[in-house]
Amino acid sequence: MDRRRFLVSASALAGVSAFGLPRIANAEAAKTAVEAAKQYAGTEISIVWEAGLQSLDPLNFSGPLWEKETGIKVKVIEVPVAEMFTKILQEHRAGTGAYDALNVIPSWMPDLVRAGALEDLDPYVDKYGYREELKTIAPVYRDNQMMVDGKIYGLPDDGDVFVLYYRKDILGDPKIQAAYKEKYGTDLPVPPKTWQEFDQVGSLITEVTGGKPYGAAFFRESAYGNFMFQERFRAEGGRFFDEETMKATINSPAGVKVLTDWVAENKWMPPGVETWGFVENLAAFLQGDTAMTISWPPYGRWAAGYGTDEQALSWVPKSQIAGKVGYALTPGGHPQLAAGFALAVSSSSRKKDPAYLFIQWLNSAEISLERVKLPYALRDPFRENHFASEDYKKLWPDAAEYLAALEAGAVSGLLDLSVIQTDRYEEGLRQAISRLWAGEDPQKILDDTAAAWDQITERIGVDKQREAYKAWASKPNAYPS
């Protein structure tokens, strides 16, 4: 099941009370934005936001607070994430000026910039004194998800990164540790740091407990599997393309090993795991049915029970494992950043200055800290002051350990593939994963996927795509270093 679509629950949203509108001490960038925006009091700006749970941030918190501070109303245009890219392009081509500010997934930015849909933010960053505060965004987001062709088009606004969650009580169980040492001759690694260790620990837990709990589970459904494949493929040494010929190399031994390993792992994971999405995997982990899993940061907060009393999160299973969960980098040490969001301004907006000032204020160190603490908004820590926040560390007993894992991911995390028409390549991966669960041979699947990728590249133009790929591959976190 799709994580973001699932979170749209009318019954859940109807009863949500406003988060409250505290008077927040302004940092310099936030204060500058508020003071400059007051000249536009009485106007209204629109912002495109993901429909559902995410939109509760501008609807209940940041939008009303911005209006209180500046007199500018914020109209939130909710769009399902699967439709956001298309609607932004359609509105740009129509030139209606209906969208002022935008949420964009960073891997979309090269396509949107080439289409002329995004405003160059450099002049605004300088005009409103934001360049210094931008430097306090964690490097993996700041250096990789902000610029296209040397210009700023998005303000990174969400620390999406995969995290390994593990049950400290299960992996620390003397019975399981003794069984591991007897079988492998070494101490059980807590947490496992390689995929081989992960397989050994997970399979042994299932063997010893008889599946109560299972050693681990993942979301294997193809939409999520796409991100997980991208991470493990590169952790195994894989490269997406030959940089000179631009022939796809997804069918290399690294790719075949990943799919082969997935099939083998499923044998000690819960029955039917190959169909699991965000919610099924979450429920199993929070109810104590699995000892390890990998997912986005909200899993860690909800496992601790943080915010799950909010009515908007009434669909989240009550955690049975609070206080028992450890947080770590995924095996291999290079977690996938997996989507995320950046704030942008539409090039067809007729209110570009107030739109920019709103996103600068949202993104500022002070206001963004309040937003990442919202239990329901799914914005994850992404700035130095988020990771260091003593207030955040007090939200639950292990919050400091959680922040440390996110901060480590913000150094070594891997970018999503981002070239021209990225989604067409990713769709090939999604189809490959579906074929894997249908029982087809990994090598045959990936040979077909590589051939399909080559056709996409030829339609776009080999030289044109080579230029885009080289620009992406030259970024610090495109491949493990």
Side-chain angles (χ1 to χ4, degrees):
M1 184 177 293
D2 185 284
R3 172 181 73 140
R4 301 183 188 277
R5 279 185 287 126
F6 181 87
L7 301 180
V8 182
S9 168
S11 60
L13 304 188
V16 172
S17 61
F19 186 75
L21 305 176
R23 177 72 184 183
I24 296 170
N26 292 309
E28 287 304 311
K31 183 177 181 180
T32 299
V34 166
E35 293 305 315
K38 287 179 178 176
Q39 64 183 299
Y40 304 105
T43 61
E44 179 181 85
I45 59 172
S46 66
I47 186 163
V48 174
W49 213 283
E50 183 188 353
L53 209 54
Q54 292 260 19
S55 286
L56 296 183
D57 172 348
L59 286 170
N60 288 351
F61 177 70
S62 54
L65 182 56
W66 176 250
E67 182 178 358
K68 181 181 177 183
E69 296 270 10
T70 67
I72 300 174
K73 289 182 178 293
V74 177
K75 178 182 178 182
V76 181
I77 301 173
E78 294 190 63
V79 179
V81 70
E83 301 173 15
M84 288 176 76
F85 179 84
T86 301
K87 286 189 176 294
I88 290 170
L89 271 184
Q90 288 174 337
E91 191 283 330
H92 168 65
R93 288 166 180 158
T96 65
Y99 298 166
D100 297 310
L102 306 168
N103 271 266
V104 297
I105 290 179
S107 63
W108 299 345
M109 286 171 56
D111 276 339
L112 291 172
V113 169
R114 289 183 181 90
L118 302 185
E119 182 77 0
D120 174 7
L121 299 183
D122 279 285
Y124 302 89
V125 167
D126 289 330
K127 181 179 179 181
Y128 296 111
Y130 195 40
R131 199 166 290 276
E132 283 302 309
E133 197 164 307
L134 272 177
K135 294 177 182 176
T136 66
I137 292 176
V140 76
Y141 308 110
R142 183 193 64 218
D143 296 344
N144 297 287
Q145 297 186 344
M146 190 164 66
M147 306 175 81
V148 177
D149 297 334
K151 295 180 180 179
I152 298 174
Y153 288 95
L155 307 180
D157 196 53
D158 184 12
D160 264 354
V161 63
F162 281 163
V163 178
L164 171 67
Y165 303 102
Y166 64 95
R167 287 279 299 280
K168 292 187 284 190
D169 56 330
I170 302 296
L171 271 65
D173 185 330
K175 180 181 176 182
I176 290 175
Q177 290 188 334
Y180 187 93
K181 189 153 191 172
E182 180 179 357
K183 185 168 185 175
Y184 295 109
T186 61
D187 291 336
L188 187 150
V190 182
K193 291 184 172 56
T194 68
W195 283 108
Q196 181 180 3
E197 289 180 350
F198 175 84
D199 179 69
Q200 291 177 178
V201 172
S203 60
L204 182 116
I205 290 173
T206 299
E207 179 183 327
V208 172
T209 67
K212 296 182 178 180
Y214 286 95
F218 290 148
F219 26 71
R220 293 293 207 200
E221 189 270 336
S222 61
Y224 302 99
N226 164 48
F227 290 127
M228 300 196 80
F229 178 86
Q230 288 193 35
E231 176 186 324
R232 278 182 74 166
F233 173 66
R234 285 177 282 179
E236 294 288 353
R239 309 281 291 193
F240 292 115
F241 298 99
D242 181 306
E243 283 197 13
E244 297 307 317
T245 66
M246 280 306 291
K247 289 290 186 182
T249 49
I250 202 78
N251 56 338
S252 64
V256 175
K257 182 177 188 303
V258 171
L259 294 189
T260 303
D261 286 351
W262 281 13
V263 172
E265 290 165 2
N266 283 3
K267 294 176 181 174
W268 53 261
M269 291 185 179
V273 69
E274 62 272 14
T275 66
W276 284 18
F278 184 84
V279 176
E280 296 85 352
N281 192 45
L282 173 70
F285 188 65
L286 265 56
Q287 291 169 354
D289 296 334
T290 53
M292 296 186 288
T293 193
I294 290 173
S295 185
W296 284 275
Y299 267 40
R301 302 194 286 269
W302 298 339
Y306 175 65
T308 51
D309 290 335
E310 291 271 347
Q311 189 171 353
L313 296 178
S314 61
W315 58 273
V316 176
K318 295 302 177 189
S319 176
Q320 307 298 314
I321 56 173
K324 300 177 180 177
V325 178
Y327 318 98
L329 291 176
T330 57
H334 293 280
Q336 186 85 4
L337 298 182
F341 280 106
L343 297 166
V345 172
S346 168
S347 63
S348 58
S349 168
R350 296 177 183 116
K351 303 170 186 172
K352 292 176 182 175
D353 276 87
Y356 171 77
L357 290 167
F358 180 49
I359 67 169
Q360 173 171 312
W361 177 82
L362 284 174
N363 192 244
S364 66
E366 195 73 18
I367 302 303
S368 65
L369 176 59
E370 298 304 315
R371 295 173 55 231
V372 298
K373 290 192 294 186
L374 296 174
Y376 49 73
L378 303 184
R379 283 296 205 255
D380 305 312
F382 63 93
R383 273 187 180 275
E384 292 173 0
N385 68 311
H386 302 170
F387 301 129
S389 171
E390 293 301 323
D391 286 342
Y392 200 119
K393 292 175 183 175
K394 295 175 183 174
L395 294 180
W396 69 89
D398 296 325
E401 183 184 341
Y402 168 82
L403 286 173
L406 268 58
E407 186 172 17
V411 175
S412 63
L414 293 176
L415 302 175
D416 299 342
L417 178 64
S418 180
V419 290
I420 300 170
Q421 298 182 20
T422 301
D423 191 60
R424 294 181 183 274
Y425 295 92
E426 291 184 341
E427 176 56 25
L429 284 180
R430 291 190 285 268
Q431 291 178 9
I433 293 165
S434 296
R435 289 175 60 185
L436 180 71
W437 303 141
E440 295 190 47
D441 174 67
Q443 184 69 66
K444 174 68 166 61
I445 293 170
L446 289 176
D447 286 346
D448 292 348
T449 304
W453 276 30
D454 289 344
Q455 291 178 2
I456 296 169
T457 303
E458 289 166 9
R459 284 198 297 270
I460 291 169
V462 172
D463 291 342
K464 189 177 177 182
Q465 190 65 293
R466 181 191 296 112
E467 182 180 353
Y469 177 65
K470 282 188 172 181
W472 175 83
S474 67
K475 291 184 175 181
N477 292 72
Y479 289 103
S481 57

